[in-house]
Structure formats: structure tokens, C-alpha cells
């Protein structure tokens, strides 16, 4: 569910083009996936559980997905615009049911950054034991200006080794605003479906 593109060298240092996250709601509560991810798209919030599993003998920080998300979290908490310009964008997807089949169909849910990461203890169900994992609160960006789409040329630019400033010029407007102002901009750039449907009187 967590696909981390390989970092590439640039003149501004190594940069990861993107991190793709997929949730499969139909697996929630199963022995394999005992947690329940929350996708509150109208209010621009996703609560996503990491990939540590019951029975794992290693630290939850070292599972492949958690390691990538914790690295992304560090970038998203960077206090400078220069640091945030290098931060990895999260592209979120979830499985949806079509024609009565829960598998094989995926919808794009948005562009996000990690607001909080919390280390938690989860119940492993059938094994009747607990295990440690991470849960991430992700803010989804407002993509109204882009008609709820991502131009993949932005991700390609981040992968091609050009400067952070050059690749940022191709980013969605909300992402650029967040890079410039940091978390103080989140109330303005967070996805809000109700707000996007309100028209000014003059319009």
C-alpha cells in the first residue's frame, strides 16, 4: 500500500519525486489488515495506518512503508520554504467496488502532507496479541484550481533532476502556497468540498 519512488540526485541534493499510498477498505478488519483507514475527503483529512504487521520482530520504524512515511513526515515538518520545496508529495488512492467487485479498481483521492505521526499499539485479532505500528494524519490539499487532478509533469520534473525551484513552478497552487508559508497555510489550502461549492453573489 506504500510505494516510495527512489530518490534522485539534483543540484539541490537528493529528492524523492513522490510517495504513492493506497488503501484497501475491503481488507479492513481482516487478520492481514486489522486497522481501518479513514478517508474523510470532503474535509480534507485521511487517517492512514502504517505497514508494520502482527508477528513482526523488527521495530515499526524499520518496516519499508513506515520508514518512507517517517522520512516524508520529517520533510513536511521542515520550517523553511527551501526545505519544504524538497518535501515529498503524497499521492493517495483507495480501492473502490465496481460491478460488484472490490478488487482491481482504484480511485485518486488527492495530494497530501503528513500533519502528525503517532506510534500506537494495535490488537492483532486472531493471534490474541498486540503489536506496535504508526498512524498518520494526512491533510489533503485543495485541487479546485486543477479540477481535482494532478499534472504528472510535476512529478516527472521532480524526477528529472532539475532544481527544486524549477520543479515547484509546475506544482499545484495549494502545494506552492504551503511551501511558501508552511503549516500556517493549511486552513487556506486544505480541501473543503462545501467551500468549493459556494459561489460569490457576483458570480
Amino acid at each position: 500500500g506504500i510505494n516510495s519512488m527512489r530518490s534522485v540526485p539534483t543540484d539541490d541534493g537528493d529528492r524523492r519525486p513522490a510517495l504513492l499510498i493506497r488503501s484497501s477498505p475491503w481488507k479492513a478488519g481482516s487478520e492481514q489488515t486489522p486497522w481501518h483507514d479513514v478517508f474523510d475527503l470532503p474535509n480534507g483529512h485521511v487517517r492512514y495506518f502504517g505497514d508494520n504487521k502482527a508477528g513482526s520482530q523488527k521495530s515499526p520504524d524499520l518496516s519499508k512503508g513506515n520508514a518512507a512515511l517517517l522520512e516524508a513526515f520529517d520533510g513536511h515538518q521542515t520550517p523553511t520554504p527551501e526545505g519544504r520545496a524538497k518535501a515529498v508529495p503524497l499521492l493517495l488512492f483507495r480501492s473502490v467496488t465496481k460491478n460488484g467487485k472490490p478488487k482491481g479498481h482504484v480511485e485518486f483521492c488527492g495530494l497530501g502532507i503528513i500533519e502528525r505521526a503517532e506510534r500506537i499499539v494495535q490488537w492483532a485479532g486472531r493471534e490474541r496479541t498486540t503489536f506496535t505500528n504508526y498512524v498518520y494524519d494526512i491533510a489533503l490539499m485543495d485541487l479546485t484550481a486543477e479540477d481535482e487532478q494532478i499534472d504528472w509533469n510535476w512529478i516527472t520534473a521532480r524526477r528529472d533532476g532539475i532544481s527544486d525551484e524549477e520543479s515547484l513552478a509546475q506544482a499545484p497552487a495549494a502545494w506552492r502556497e504551503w511551501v511558501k508559508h508552511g503549516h500556517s497555510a493549511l486552513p487556506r489550502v486544505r480541501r473543503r468540498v462545501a467551500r468549493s461549492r459556494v459561489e460569490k453573489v457576483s458570480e
Side-chain angles (χ1 to χ4, degrees):
I2 304 170
N3 185 329
S4 184
M5 292 184 177
R6 185 177 64 182
S7 293
V8 296
T10 75
D11 292 340
D12 296 320
D14 289 351
R15 179 177 64 221
R16 196 178 301 281
L19 201 159
L20 283 66
I21 294 177
R22 172 177 171 167
S23 179
S24 298
W26 58 274
K27 288 185 178 180
S30 67
E31 181 179 357
Q32 179 185 8
T33 311
W35 47 86
H36 294 257
D37 296 329
V38 176
F39 277 61
D40 183 6
L41 304 187
N43 292 303
H45 176 252
V46 169
R47 188 165 173 83
Y48 185 82
F49 289 83
D51 65 341
N52 202 38
K53 299 289 193 297
S56 173
Q57 300 302 311
K58 59 185 177 182
S59 167
D61 305 64
L62 301 179
S63 65
K64 187 175 180 180
N66 276 331
L69 285 171
L70 290 171
E71 178 189 82
F73 179 55
D74 285 343
H76 295 162
Q77 298 301 311
T78 303
T80 65
E82 294 77 17
R84 290 190 293 272
K86 194 180 299 298
V88 58
L90 307 185
L91 303 181
L92 290 97
F93 303 82
R94 65 178 173 183
S95 300
V96 294
T97 299
K98 286 190 176 181
N99 301 322
K101 297 181 179 179
K103 298 182 181 180
H105 302 282
V106 179
E107 70 174 0
F108 175 60
C109 295
L111 164 68
I113 62 162
I114 302 172
E115 293 186 272
R116 287 173 295 276
E118 180 184 357
R119 191 163 172 155
I120 60 171
V121 175
Q122 292 183 261
W123 179 247
R126 181 181 298 179
E127 297 185 19
R128 303 191 66 79
T129 185
T130 58
F131 67 101
T132 307
N133 198 11
Y134 279 91
V135 62
Y136 306 89
D137 287 303
I138 299 171
L140 296 180
M141 299 288 194
D142 180 10
L143 296 177
T144 303
E146 292 78 23
D147 196 25
E148 302 298 337
Q149 300 180 45
I150 289 289
D151 185 347
W152 199 256
N153 287 326
W154 172 41
I155 306 302
T156 299
R158 290 181 55 85
R159 188 179 56 205
D160 282 348
I162 63 177
S163 71
D164 293 337
E165 184 178 357
E166 289 177 292
S167 64
L168 183 60
Q170 301 189 48
W175 184 269
R176 297 196 305 270
E177 181 75 3
W178 171 76
V179 167
K180 184 176 180 179
H181 298 287
H183 280 22
S184 65
L186 283 181
R188 299 192 302 275
V189 302
R190 185 188 294 271
R191 185 178 194 264
R192 299 283 190 190
V193 170
R195 181 176 60 198
S196 69
R197 292 177 178 172
V198 174
E199 298 284 352
K200 295 180 181 179
V201 174
S202 61
E203 295 174 348

